[in-house]
């Protein structure tokens, strides 16, 4: 059966902040079947993840594009692979049947052909909304869980600072760290987000970085005894201020540096004298290399969800057409929690 | 018995590059005996270590001064504690007797009173020159050994880059890494040093960073397959270039950042995008926290020395008066290998 498939593509490479004119909604003829002998799977997208890292794939050049298969450069005009949840509409692969729920690399479009079913898995929703499997039970959750526990190795009572703390990963980092027994302070960019962190998500404290003239002093005020762990989602000045306020054997997990993604000149220059003398460990990581904690992540998170101990913060738009704005909004700080686009009704 | 003790002190705090006028040679009356009931030890200095980190103690303010007991600020006019080797001339401490050889925190002077014998140890020279116990068998050796093996955890065949590679720590890092089975490239600031690294110390390659207009390209040329480990002694642009040329799961051991010590505005701003996507680990460390590898360090190094496998690179001046110039020379790159001042004949 031939359909029309709508999807979002970039028009050109994007080397600064993304603009509406950088994207186009394309329509292609699309077969809802697989060729004989192929092991491809055709997936109808239900929910798709909107993530800041995609901007690095859209650049004309970025060293990140060599990092791993999910980070490769995006060719303007072509479909954009993205993590999502969908339903199988046709399968040539023995592991998948029509109507199976799946999670994996689909695309910013209504339908995707997942060649050889690479990075596609059957999905058991375990009684949770499908959108959870794009965020809290998907890569955002794994990034937060693995990032805080495996990369930072917190001890109970340690002081944790999280930037972009109302974002998809940050909000979960803070919640995991609190549930584990750390003291957690987050920063965000609006008063509403700050309230949310303190009142709904159980952060010990939070502040609006846009209201601070001196981040160093702001952190000194919130961490009079210093920071043991900084979970960095933003880079630049915030990373510098965090290092300046760090305790001996402090750890920085560098998860993302959103403020540097759209401005290559914007760079963190933390004091290396502090790094030496405080024996600080600054460590970049990717969720794809945290699969060793996957089972623990799922069981812990499912427990927290069933016991009502963790708050799910989702920001869901509807329709393929809304993807460019949803994506651009990440860099403006529009989203509260995990940004997801629902592409079709379940 | 009362003697005259000559020692070096700073005249003021030093917040830039050290100048001759920042130092003075002082003379004080000194008793070669201990008071009854005291557990102090009076030590005649034989060899004293000249180390770049002392500049951070001389500053009017540096965050480093809170880091540990050996990093505390130096008060102008007072004796300057430094690691060295000496002979006990009087002791009130039960563990030490007159004429014992000792290693530990003495001072930039002829005689020191080591209160409570804190950080003082009896020294068994094991048949090696006493100067070795200030350098290769002292903290420089421990820093190099612990830094490369404990902090960087190399695998055989990995590519190692060492800056300030003819310096006290750098030359040993390179030699240890080579003996372990790594590919090692060093950089230094003169043609003679570069020759030395390649011809005497067994580095696979070396280059003069002062002859390079673009450090990034220089590293690309020397590491076409990327850097796995960067042992950083200098900071600033070199750290940036190393991160840019680093492989996935690359490790940076930040041992010192000499180019930043005398210019607080000079800071490394490595690409955090590289840090994230290449999952780079940047880790500052202090030798004082590497005591867990001390036994292994000594046995391995003694073996290498006895088998003639490791080259001892020392740069020895004579006399208390030579200390200021020896120290200033560290920041000009004068020294080749471990800078030591011999204060008295053995």
């Amino acid at each position: 059966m031939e359909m029309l498939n709508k999807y979002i593509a970039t028009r050109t490479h994007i080397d600064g902040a993304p603009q509406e004119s950088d994207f186009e909604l394309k329509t292609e003829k699309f077969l809802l079947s697989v060729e004989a002998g192929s092991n491809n799977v055709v997936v109808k997208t239900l929910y798709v993840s909107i993530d800041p890292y995609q901007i690095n794939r859209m650049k004309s050049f970025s060293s990140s594009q060599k990092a791993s298969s999910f980070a490769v450069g995006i060719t303007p005009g072509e479909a954009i692979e993205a993590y999502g949840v969908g339903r199988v509409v046709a399968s040539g692969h023995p592991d998948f049947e029509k109507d199976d729920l799946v999670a994996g690399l689909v695309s910013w479009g209504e339908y995707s052909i997942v060649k050889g079913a690479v990075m596609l898995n059957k999905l058991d929703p375990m009684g949770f909304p499908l959108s959870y499997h794009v965020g809290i039970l998907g890569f955002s959750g794994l990034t937060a869980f693995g990032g805080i526990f495996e990369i930072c190795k917190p001890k109970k009572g340690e002081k944790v600072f999280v930037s972009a703390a109302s974002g998809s990963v940050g909000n979960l980092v803070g919640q995991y760290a609190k549930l584990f027994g750390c003291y957690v302070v987050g920063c965000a960019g609006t008063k509403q987000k700050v309230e949310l962190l303190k009142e709904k998500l159980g952060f010990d404290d939070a502040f609006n970085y846009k209201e601070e003239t001196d981040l160093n002093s702001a952190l000194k005020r919130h961490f009079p005894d210093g920071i043991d762990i900084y979970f960095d989602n933003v880079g630049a000045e915030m990373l510098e201020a965090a290092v300046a306020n760090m305790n001996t054997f402090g750890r920085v997990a560098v998860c993302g540096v959103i403020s540097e993604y759209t401005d290559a000149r914007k760079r963190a220059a933390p004091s290396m004298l502090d790094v030496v003398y405080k024996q600080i460990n600054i460590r970049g990581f990717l969720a794809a290399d945290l699969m060793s904690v996957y089972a623990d992540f799922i069981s812990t998170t499912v427990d927290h969800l069933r016991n009502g101990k963790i708050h799910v913060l989702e920001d869901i738009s509807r329709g393929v057409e809304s993807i460019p704005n949803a994506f651009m909004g990440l860099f403006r700080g529009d989203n509260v929690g995990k940004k997801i686009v629902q592409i079709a009704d379940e």
Side-chain angles (χ1 to χ4, degrees), chain A:
Chain A
M1 191 174 116
E2 196 178 85
M3 296 275 293
L4 287 180
N5 177 33
K6 286 193 286 185
Y7 65 99
I8 298 294
T10 49
R11 286 178 199 273
T12 56
H13 289 296
I14 307 175
D15 288 307
Q19 314 273 330
E20 194 147 5
S21 58
D22 293 329
F23 300 94
E24 60 182 326
L25 178 70
K26 294 181 79 168
T27 304
E28 65 179 355
K29 287 182 187 165
F30 195 86
L31 274 177
L32 292 188
S33 58
V34 289
E35 284 172 44
S38 133
N39 62 353
N40 296 343
V41 179
V42 179
V43 177
K44 179 182 180 183
T45 314
L46 299 175
Y47 294 92
V48 74
S49 180
I50 308 295
D51 300 290
Y53 82 87
Q54 299 273 23
I55 194 72
N56 298 318
R57 301 183 58 204
M58 295 172 182
K59 293 175 183 172
S60 47
F61 170 82
S62 171
S63 59
S64 62
Q65 293 170 3
K66 292 185 291 187
S68 78
S69 57
F70 79 90
V72 291
I74 289 169
T75 306
E78 293 190 0
I80 293 166
E81 283 182 328
Y83 192 76
V85 164
R87 202 175 278 285
V88 172
V89 290
S91 171
H93 196 285
D95 295 352
F96 297 90
E97 287 181 19
K98 188 170 183 303
D99 293 331
D100 278 349
L101 274 175
V102 288
L105 269 194
V106 291
S107 71
W108 280 3
E110 293 174 314
Y111 294 94
S112 310
I113 300 170
V114 184
K115 289 187 181 161
V118 169
M119 296 189 73
L120 198 69
N121 292 293
K122 275 202 202 180
L123 175 66
D124 170 7
M126 300 182 286
F128 296 111
L130 291 183
S131 59
Y132 282 24
H133 298 278
V134 177
I136 188 168
L137 293 169
F139 270 95
S140 302
L142 177 62
T143 303
F145 184 91
I148 187 69
F149 294 118
E150 188 65 12
I151 303 294
C152 300
K153 302 208 186 299
K155 298 181 198 75
K156 284 186 208 306
E158 280 196 316
K159 312 285 188 292
V160 176
F161 173 52
V162 188
S163 57
S166 70
S168 60
V169 173
N171 90 83
L172 294 174
V173 169
Q175 292 190 82
Y176 283 128
K178 266 308 289 177
L179 288 165
F180 178 76
C182 292
Y183 177 86
V184 179
V185 177
C187 73
T190 69
K191 199 180 161 199
Q192 290 69 29
K193 287 176 179 178
V194 168
E195 292 299 304
L196 179 76
L197 294 174
K198 291 198 282 191
E199 276 152 42
K200 269 206 172 157
L201 303 191
F203 281 54
D204 291 289
D205 209 345
F207 66 94
N208 180 352
Y209 70 92
K210 290 183 180 165
E211 286 177 356
E212 301 292 339
T213 48
D214 178 359
L215 295 177
N216 201 345
S217 311
L219 289 180
K220 219 173 282 300
R221 208 167 67 235
H222 285 93
F223 292 94
D225 301 322
I227 298 168
D228 299 304
I229 290 171
Y230 171 42
F231 196 99
D232 188 14
N233 291 306
V234 304
E237 303 91 339
M238 195 64 87
L239 175 53
E240 295 173 13
V243 165
N245 282 281
M246 202 137 239
N247 290 330
T248 302
F249 295 118
R251 288 137 277 162
V252 178
V254 192
C255 174
V257 289
I258 194 169
S259 70
E260 302 184 27
Y261 288 166
T262 55
D263 184 353
R265 292 158 310 173
K266 207 164 185 176
R267 284 223 186 157
S271 163
M272 284 293 151
L273 200 128
D274 277 338
V275 170
V276 172
Y277 281 94
K278 297 196 280 191
Q279 308 190 59
I280 292 171
N281 197 341
I282 301 177
R283 187 165 161 199
F285 73 98
L286 297 174
D289 281 289
L290 289 172
M291 296 312 287
S292 60
V293 302
Y294 187 79
D296 189 18
F297 150 62
I298 288 293
S299 69
T300 304
T301 309
V302 165
D303 274 358
H304 287 332
L305 283 168
R306 293 205 170 125
N307 297 324
K309 289 192 171 169
I310 200 161
H311 191 90
V312 182
L313 207 59
E314 296 180 323
D315 186 333
I316 305 184
S317 319
R318 290 182 61 93
V320 173
E321 296 81 356
S322 75
I323 290 176
N325 194 49
F327 180 63
M328 291 184 288
L330 297 175
F331 300 92
R332 296 186 299 249
D334 290 354
N335 59 306
V336 178
K338 177 66 190 173
K339 187 70 208 177
I340 295 169
V341 173
Q342 182 174 6
I343 304 291
D345 289 333
E346 299 170 21

